[in-house]
Amino acid sequence: MAPEPGVSGAASASVSGPGPASPAASSSSSSASASASAAARRGRPRSEAVERSIVEAVVHLLEEGVPLSELSIERIARTAGVGKATIYRRWEGKEALFVDVVRSMQPVDPPLPGTSVRDDLVAMIEMLRQRGLAKRSSALLHNVFAQMQSYPKLWDMYHRTSVLPRRQLMDEVLRRGIANGEIRADLDFELLGDLFVGPMLVRTVLRPDGTPGEGSAERLVDAVLEGVRPPR
């Protein structure tokens, strides 16, 4: 770690011999302490408890039936018991905060196993299944998604920060499968991704009467992989 401003001057004064420190050394030491305190304030990690209270405040208001259009930063701050500046230090605006609130209500994506292309695809489709079922079983989450689609800026931010990274991760896995010969290289790449994602989306979103159970991600991935493998 680099020395703080003024520390080297104070160190020189302390090794120069006994006796009271010179005014310059005292001034340097005071300056170092002030600089260290300021750096500590600037580098202090954001309080997870405060962020959690803000997210929970938004969820509480949504549960009470307050629509997204009426969730002002001032109202959220009042409910969370914090100042508006506290929220703005953590989120650039309501849209970014709402995206984090939606993420907090969904299952967390675990890291991919990395053992094989098949295993990684199964893990990703299984998480898609769990998110779809969570949206179906949670009236609040379903309602929030329905409202989000009426706010293009919010919907776009959710896609850029949540949906797109997952799609990019799947693209990496699929490219690995093409590179090692597990997947044909002559297929339309966008279509390839849709072949894996589409069936699970249909079963979790468009077919509320058909709940995909345990093991459905494995069966789906195996069926698609069988069809996209290079000819033997």
Side-chain angles (χ1 to χ4, degrees):
M1 180 181 295
E4 295 170 347
V7 171
S8 58
S12 298
S14 65
V15 298
S16 60
S22 67
S26 299
S27 175
S28 177
S29 178
S30 299
S31 176
S33 298
S35 298
S37 298
R41 285 195 299 272
R42 288 194 300 271
R44 185 177 300 159
R46 301 187 303 182
S47 168
E48 292 184 5
V50 171
E51 291 187 2
R52 187 165 57 251
S53 70
I54 294 168
V55 170
E56 289 174 352
V58 177
V59 173
H60 174 72
L61 291 168
L62 290 169
E63 289 175 336
E64 289 190 335
V66 180
L68 289 176
S69 59
E70 296 180 16
L71 283 178
S72 64
I73 292 295
E74 183 176 6
R75 186 169 188 176
I76 295 168
R78 186 167 60 248
T79 303
V82 301
K84 290 192 295 183
T86 301
I87 297 179
Y88 282 118
R89 278 197 297 270
R90 289 160 172 79
W91 292 277
E92 61 185 22
K94 288 196 302 183
E95 290 81 7
L97 171 55
F98 291 161
V99 167
D100 277 355
V101 169
V102 172
R103 286 174 178 158
S104 75
M105 294 190 288
Q106 293 182 305
V108 178
D109 291 357
L112 297 182
T115 48
S116 69
V117 169
R118 176 194 179 273
D119 290 348
D120 285 353
L121 287 170
V122 167
M124 298 190 76
I125 300 304
E126 171 60 18
M127 282 311 303
L128 180 62
R129 182 183 78 91
Q130 293 187 25
R131 287 194 300 273
L133 294 181
K135 190 189 302 184
R136 183 192 298 181
S137 63
S138 169
L140 177 61
L141 193 56
H142 180 80
N143 181 38
V144 169
F145 268 99
Q147 292 187 65
M148 283 172 61
Q149 295 179 50
S150 299
Y151 299 91
K153 184 178 179 181
L154 174 57
W155 192 242
D156 177 67
M157 180 175 289
Y158 176 77
H159 270 261
R160 283 188 291 104
T161 60
S162 294
V163 178
L164 184 59
R166 291 186 183 117
R167 185 59 188 251
Q168 291 172 335
L169 185 59
M170 172 165 280
D171 287 352
E172 292 175 11
V173 175
L174 294 174
R175 288 193 178 95
R176 179 155 44 95
I178 293 172
N180 64 24
E182 294 182 62
I183 298 174
R184 286 163 48 191
D186 62 330
L187 296 170
D188 179 277
F189 194 74
E190 290 295 320
L191 174 62
L192 180 61
D194 292 343
L195 289 174
F196 287 96
V197 172
M200 189 59 76
L201 284 177
V202 168
R203 298 196 67 188
T204 56
V205 178
L206 300 180
R207 287 181 53 192
D209 58 326
T211 301
E214 296 287 340
S216 58
E218 288 90 341
R219 292 191 297 272
L220 190 158
V221 168
D222 287 341
V224 177
L225 279 177
E226 183 64 29
V228 300
R229 284 196 181 103
R232 292 181 177 89

